[in-house]
Short mmCIF file of all heavy atoms in Angstrom, two decimals:
data_model
loop_
_atom_site.label_atom_id
_atom_site.label_comp_id
_atom_site.label_asym_id
_atom_site.label_seq_id
_atom_site.Cartn_x
_atom_site.Cartn_y
_atom_site.Cartn_z
N VAL A 15 -8.81 -3.29 -18.68
CA VAL A 15 -7.51 -2.79 -18.26
C VAL A 15 -7.68 -2.21 -16.85
O VAL A 15 -8.45 -1.28 -16.65
CB VAL A 15 -6.97 -1.72 -19.24
CG1 VAL A 15 -5.61 -1.23 -18.78
CG2 VAL A 15 -6.89 -2.30 -20.66
N ASN A 16 -6.96 -2.79 -15.91
CA ASN A 16 -7.11 -2.43 -14.51
C ASN A 16 -6.07 -1.44 -14.01
O ASN A 16 -6.24 -0.84 -12.96
CB ASN A 16 -7.02 -3.69 -13.64
CG ASN A 16 -8.24 -4.55 -13.81
OD1 ASN A 16 -9.27 -4.25 -13.26
ND2 ASN A 16 -8.12 -5.60 -14.60
N SER A 17 -4.99 -1.29 -14.75
CA SER A 17 -3.92 -0.41 -14.27
C SER A 17 -2.99 -0.07 -15.43
O SER A 17 -3.00 -0.73 -16.46
CB SER A 17 -3.12 -1.10 -13.16
OG SER A 17 -2.40 -2.19 -13.70
N PRO A 18 -2.18 0.96 -15.23
CA PRO A 18 -1.15 1.29 -16.23
C PRO A 18 0.04 0.34 -16.04
O PRO A 18 1.05 0.70 -15.44
CB PRO A 18 -0.80 2.74 -15.90
CG PRO A 18 -1.06 2.85 -14.44
CD PRO A 18 -2.22 1.93 -14.16
N LEU A 19 -0.12 -0.87 -16.52
CA LEU A 19 0.81 -1.95 -16.18
C LEU A 19 2.27 -1.63 -16.54
O LEU A 19 3.17 -1.92 -15.77
CB LEU A 19 0.38 -3.25 -16.85
CG LEU A 19 1.09 -4.50 -16.37
CD1 LEU A 19 0.94 -4.67 -14.87
CD2 LEU A 19 0.56 -5.72 -17.09
N ILE A 20 2.50 -1.00 -17.67
CA ILE A 20 3.88 -0.68 -18.06
C ILE A 20 4.48 0.27 -17.03
O ILE A 20 5.62 0.09 -16.58
CB ILE A 20 3.93 -0.09 -19.48
CG1 ILE A 20 3.51 -1.14 -20.50
CG2 ILE A 20 5.33 0.44 -19.80
CD1 ILE A 20 3.30 -0.61 -21.91
N GLU A 21 3.71 1.29 -16.64
CA GLU A 21 4.20 2.26 -15.65
C GLU A 21 4.43 1.59 -14.30
O GLU A 21 5.43 1.86 -13.63
CB GLU A 21 3.21 3.42 -15.50
CG GLU A 21 2.88 4.13 -16.80
CD GLU A 21 4.10 4.58 -17.58
OE1 GLU A 21 5.08 5.05 -16.96
OE2 GLU A 21 4.09 4.45 -18.81
N GLU A 22 3.52 0.72 -13.88
CA GLU A 22 3.68 0.02 -12.61
C GLU A 22 4.91 -0.89 -12.63
O GLU A 22 5.65 -0.97 -11.66
CB GLU A 22 2.44 -0.81 -12.28
CG GLU A 22 1.29 0.02 -11.81
CD GLU A 22 0.11 -0.83 -11.37
OE1 GLU A 22 0.17 -2.07 -11.44
OE2 GLU A 22 -0.89 -0.22 -10.94
N GLN A 23 5.12 -1.58 -13.75
CA GLN A 23 6.28 -2.46 -13.85
C GLN A 23 7.56 -1.65 -13.74
O GLN A 23 8.49 -2.05 -13.03
CB GLN A 23 6.23 -3.22 -15.19
CG GLN A 23 7.30 -4.28 -15.33
CD GLN A 23 7.06 -5.50 -14.46
OE1 GLN A 23 5.97 -5.75 -13.98
NE2 GLN A 23 8.10 -6.27 -14.24
N ALA A 24 7.61 -0.50 -14.41
CA ALA A 24 8.80 0.34 -14.36
C ALA A 24 9.04 0.92 -12.97
O ALA A 24 10.18 1.02 -12.51
CB ALA A 24 8.67 1.48 -15.38
N GLU A 25 7.96 1.28 -12.28
CA GLU A 25 8.07 1.92 -10.97
C GLU A 25 8.33 0.94 -9.83
O GLU A 25 9.15 1.20 -8.96
CB GLU A 25 6.79 2.69 -10.68
CG GLU A 25 6.75 3.38 -9.34
CD GLU A 25 7.63 4.61 -9.24
OE1 GLU A 25 7.95 5.20 -10.28
OE2 GLU A 25 8.00 4.96 -8.11
N TYR A 26 7.61 -0.18 -9.82
CA TYR A 26 7.63 -1.05 -8.65
C TYR A 26 8.38 -2.37 -8.84
O TYR A 26 8.60 -3.08 -7.88
CB TYR A 26 6.19 -1.38 -8.22
CG TYR A 26 5.43 -0.14 -7.85
CD1 TYR A 26 4.43 0.35 -8.67
CD2 TYR A 26 5.72 0.55 -6.68
CE1 TYR A 26 3.73 1.51 -8.34
CE2 TYR A 26 5.03 1.70 -6.34
CZ TYR A 26 4.04 2.17 -7.17
OH TYR A 26 3.36 3.31 -6.84
N ARG A 27 8.71 -2.72 -10.07
CA ARG A 27 9.42 -3.97 -10.33
C ARG A 27 10.56 -3.64 -11.29
O ARG A 27 11.19 -2.62 -11.15
CB ARG A 27 8.44 -5.00 -10.88
CG ARG A 27 7.39 -5.42 -9.83
CD ARG A 27 6.33 -6.35 -10.37
NE ARG A 27 5.36 -5.72 -11.25
CZ ARG A 27 4.30 -5.00 -10.85
NH1 ARG A 27 4.10 -4.77 -9.57
NH2 ARG A 27 3.46 -4.50 -11.71
N VAL A 28 10.80 -4.48 -12.27
CA VAL A 28 11.84 -4.23 -13.26
C VAL A 28 11.22 -4.32 -14.64
O VAL A 28 10.56 -5.31 -14.96
CB VAL A 28 12.98 -5.27 -13.15
CG1 VAL A 28 14.01 -5.06 -14.25
CG2 VAL A 28 13.65 -5.19 -11.77
N LEU A 29 11.40 -3.29 -15.43
CA LEU A 29 10.92 -3.30 -16.82
C LEU A 29 12.15 -3.33 -17.71
O LEU A 29 12.91 -2.37 -17.78
CB LEU A 29 10.07 -2.06 -17.11
CG LEU A 29 9.51 -1.96 -18.52
CD1 LEU A 29 8.62 -3.16 -18.84
CD2 LEU A 29 8.72 -0.67 -18.68
N VAL A 30 12.35 -4.44 -18.38
CA VAL A 30 13.56 -4.65 -19.16
C VAL A 30 13.47 -3.96 -20.52
O VAL A 30 14.43 -3.37 -20.99
CB VAL A 30 13.82 -6.17 -19.35
CG1 VAL A 30 15.00 -6.41 -20.28
CG2 VAL A 30 14.02 -6.85 -18.00
N ASP A 31 12.30 -3.99 -21.17
CA ASP A 31 12.16 -3.47 -22.53
C ASP A 31 10.90 -2.62 -22.64
O ASP A 31 9.86 -3.09 -23.07
CB ASP A 31 12.12 -4.65 -23.51
CG ASP A 31 12.05 -4.23 -24.97
OD1 ASP A 31 12.08 -3.02 -25.27
OD2 ASP A 31 11.95 -5.14 -25.82
N ARG A 32 11.01 -1.35 -22.27
CA ARG A 32 9.85 -0.46 -22.28
C ARG A 32 9.28 -0.31 -23.69
O ARG A 32 8.07 -0.33 -23.88
CB ARG A 32 10.22 0.90 -21.70
CG ARG A 32 9.04 1.81 -21.57
CD ARG A 32 9.43 3.19 -21.02
NE ARG A 32 8.25 3.87 -20.59
CZ ARG A 32 7.79 3.87 -19.35
NH1 ARG A 32 8.43 3.23 -18.41
NH2 ARG A 32 6.69 4.51 -19.05
N ALA A 33 10.15 -0.16 -24.67
CA ALA A 33 9.67 0.01 -26.06
C ALA A 33 8.92 -1.25 -26.51
O ALA A 33 7.86 -1.15 -27.15
CB ALA A 33 10.84 0.32 -26.99
N GLY A 34 9.46 -2.42 -26.18
CA GLY A 34 8.79 -3.67 -26.54
C GLY A 34 7.44 -3.81 -25.84
O GLY A 34 6.46 -4.25 -26.45
#
Side-chain angles (χ1 to χ4, degrees):
V15 181
N16 290 282
S17 68
L19 192 56
I20 294 170
E21 304 308 320
E22 285 186 359
Q23 186 72 18
E25 178 73 23
Y26 299 108
R27 293 175 287 280
V28 176
L29 180 59
V30 175
D31 183 2
R32 185 182 196 94

